[in-house]
């Protein structure tokens, strides 16, 4: 079941322990996993004492862990490097001290790690963990702890806990907790929630806040953003650095559509909807000659829907307000109009 080469070896009958020292190379013949390093302690199975083999390695060994599915078919290996490593059986690995875990679809760094690619199908990264997705839909996530959920050895869900930060092609996000849902090694949904750090997200054109946020990104395109409780969506601050358009309510939904730009698919805001104590503030560019300032509209209602102009334009086409609706619309004075001191 196993082969081992080393410069020196000592076997202790008491405890069934084998100590290998110097250029140790160990290979599991059942699944093809290997361990290379300067020192390894191997503990055999002893009925009534130890029901599973265990291995301990120090001196920054390199492990090539090959997972197997329920049919015994090997999967893509994890390459694990750390100052010290403990392995139990063929599927559980603990690592400590400048841990790195690499595979074609991701790269992870942390102070310590646990990985169960067998029955448990999970992993944990602790101590300044950072994980990067390396697929077509790349992403980076960090926090004080990162939990991994596996599905047949593939990472299906990533959860960053405490001071979480995630960056993808679509969103730059901070929160207490961030969850990334992966399918086929591509990011399809991002969730964020928290109390001490309220979720705050930046897309290419918008800022989103709320007690919890959800971003749907199937096919590597932003399709919908949902914000719940104290929800707020705003455009980027304009060139003056003082003003922006925004929409707020108990919940806010932002729907995006895709369009072609320079041969690539891009997402553009199609509709914004706020529900519950909804308010909106937006500016409309005046088309009258000589007027450079925009008109300003502020509206309130039980529900507000903002319809955007088509073809990827960021302009507002129409605003619908329902239930207890009121508001104000302000237009700039035309050029040369004298000020009225009585108003």
């Amino acid at each position: 079941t196993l082969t081992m080469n080393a410069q020196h070896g000592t076997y202790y009958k008491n405890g069934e322990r084998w100590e290998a020292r110097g250029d140790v190379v160990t290979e599991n013949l059942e699944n093809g996993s290997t361990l290379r390093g300067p020192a390894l302690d191997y503990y055999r199975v002893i009925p009534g004492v130890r029901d599973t083999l265990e291995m301990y390695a120090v001196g920054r060994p390199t492990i090539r862990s090959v997972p197997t599915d329920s049919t015994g078919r090997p999967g893509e290996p994890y390459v694990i490097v750390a100052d010290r490593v403990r392995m139990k059986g063929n599927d559980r690995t603990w690592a400590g001290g400048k841990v790195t875990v690499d595979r074609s679809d991701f790269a992870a760094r942390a102070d310590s790690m646990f990985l169960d690619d067998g029955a448990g199908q999970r992993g944990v990264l602790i101590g300044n963990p950072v994980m990067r997705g390396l697929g077509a839909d790349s992403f980076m996530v960090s926090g004080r702890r990162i939990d991994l959920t596996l599905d047949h050895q593939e990472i299906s869900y990533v959860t960053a806990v405490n001071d979480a930060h995630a960056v993808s092609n679509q969103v730059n996000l901070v929160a207490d907790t961030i969850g990334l849902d992966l399918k086929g090694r591509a990011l399809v949904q991002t969730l964020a929630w928290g109390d001490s750090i309220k979720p705050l997200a930046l897309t290419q054109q918008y800022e989103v806040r709320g007690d919890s946020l959800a971003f749907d990104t199937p096919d590597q395109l932003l399709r919908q953003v949902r914000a719940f409780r104290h929800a707020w969506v705003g455009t980027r601050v304009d060139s003056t650095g003082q003003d922006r358009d925004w929409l707020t309510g108990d919940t806010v939904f932002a729907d995006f559509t895709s369009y072609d730009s320079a041969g690539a698919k891009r997402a553009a805001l199609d509709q914004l909807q706020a529900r519950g104590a909804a308010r909106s503030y937006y500016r409309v560019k005046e088309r009258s000659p000589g007027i450079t300032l925009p008109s300003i509209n502020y509206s309130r209602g039980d529900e507000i829907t903002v319809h955007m102009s088509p073809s990827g334009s960021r302009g507002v086409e129409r605003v619908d307000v329902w239930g207890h609706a009121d508001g104000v619309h302000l237009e700039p004075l035309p050029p040369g109009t004298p000020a009225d001191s009585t108003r």
Side-chain angles (χ1 to χ4, degrees):
T1 60
L2 181 142
T3 63
M4 183 182 302
N5 292 325
Q7 292 181 355
H8 181 76
T10 305
Y11 179 72
Y12 297 89
K13 181 63 178 174
N14 184 18
E16 300 287 351
R17 184 175 86 256
W18 165 257
E19 294 182 354
R21 299 293 184 267
D23 298 329
V24 181
V25 180
T26 304
E27 181 180 1
N28 186 315
L29 299 180
E30 293 182 345
N31 58 27
S33 298
T34 60
L35 184 150
R36 296 174 180 268
L40 174 71
D41 292 351
Y42 177 86
Y43 292 80
R44 294 180 61 193
V45 174
I46 303 176
V49 176
R50 189 182 306 116
D51 60 358
T52 306
L53 69 88
E54 297 186 25
M55 292 189 291
Y56 297 82
V58 296
R60 202 152 183 82
T62 298
I63 297 173
R64 186 175 178 272
S65 178
V66 180
T68 55
D69 59 20
S70 57
T71 65
R73 184 176 56 186
E76 183 179 357
Y78 301 92
V79 179
I80 303 169
V81 181
D83 290 346
R84 53 199 174 275
V85 174
R86 175 194 175 198
M87 303 180 70
K88 189 170 184 178
N90 295 326
D91 49 24
R92 284 165 289 175
T93 303
W94 291 260
K98 298 179 180 178
V99 181
T100 66
V101 186
D102 293 282
R103 209 170 67 165
S104 66
D105 58 327
F106 79 97
R109 306 291 183 263
D111 292 338
S112 57
M113 180 215 70
F114 167 68
L115 179 65
D116 182 354
D117 53 25
Q121 291 289 291
R122 67 187 185 95
V124 181
L125 299 166
I126 299 176
N128 302 310
V130 177
M131 178 178 173
R132 290 179 170 83
L134 305 178
D137 191 11
S138 61
F139 65 87
M140 183 282 294
V141 62
S142 63
R144 296 185 184 178
R145 172 189 174 119
I146 295 178
D147 295 327
L148 307 177
T149 301
L150 308 179
D151 183 9
H152 296 90
Q153 293 87 43
E154 294 289 344
I155 297 176
S156 61
Y157 204 87
V158 179
T159 306
V161 182
N162 293 332
D163 296 327
H165 182 203
V167 179
S168 69
N169 295 334
Q170 311 291 334
V171 180
N172 187 338
L173 176 64
V174 295
D176 273 347
T177 306
I178 296 176
L180 306 179
D181 191 5
L182 305 172
K183 285 184 173 59
R185 302 188 179 185
L187 181 61
V188 296
Q189 187 181 67
T190 301
L191 305 178
W193 62 94
D195 294 322
S196 60
I197 301 179
K198 298 291 185 180
L200 170 62
L202 297 175
T203 69
Q204 290 184 351
Q205 302 296 338
Y206 300 95
E207 181 177 330
V208 186
R209 307 176 200 158
D211 286 0
S212 58
L213 304 178
F215 300 83
D216 294 338
T217 53
D219 303 322
Q220 305 172 33
L221 280 174
L222 184 61
R223 294 296 185 184
Q224 188 180 65
V225 177
R226 299 180 296 282
F228 302 93
R229 285 186 57 82
H230 306 103
W232 185 93
V233 176
T235 61
R236 287 188 174 183
V237 178
D238 61 20
S239 58
T240 66
Q242 297 178 348
D243 216 352
R244 70 168 95 205
D245 299 341
W246 52 263
L247 179 71
T248 185
D250 290 339
T251 59
V252 173
F253 297 83
D255 293 307
F256 291 79
T257 185
S258 62
Y259 69 98
D260 293 322
S261 176
K265 286 284 188 179
R266 299 188 183 276
L269 182 63
D270 181 54
Q271 178 178 284
L272 272 171
Q273 186 178 73
R275 302 173 183 172
R279 291 174 292 142
S280 69
Y281 173 91
Y282 63 93
R283 296 157 298 163
V284 180
K285 184 178 180 180
E286 286 291 328
R287 297 181 179 179
S288 301
I291 298 181
T292 58
L293 294 175
S295 296
I296 297 175
N297 186 285
Y298 175 76
S299 300
R300 300 184 301 183
D302 294 338
E303 184 175 316
I304 298 177
T305 301
V306 180
H307 303 271
M308 306 302 293
S309 299
S311 303
S313 171
R314 293 188 299 168
V316 175
E317 184 177 71
R318 191 179 81 252
V319 178
D320 298 328
V321 185
W322 291 279
H324 302 93
D326 63 9
V328 60
H329 184 82
L330 306 177
E331 295 181 351
L333 289 173
T337 302
D340 188 345
S341 61
T342 65
R343 290 182 178 269

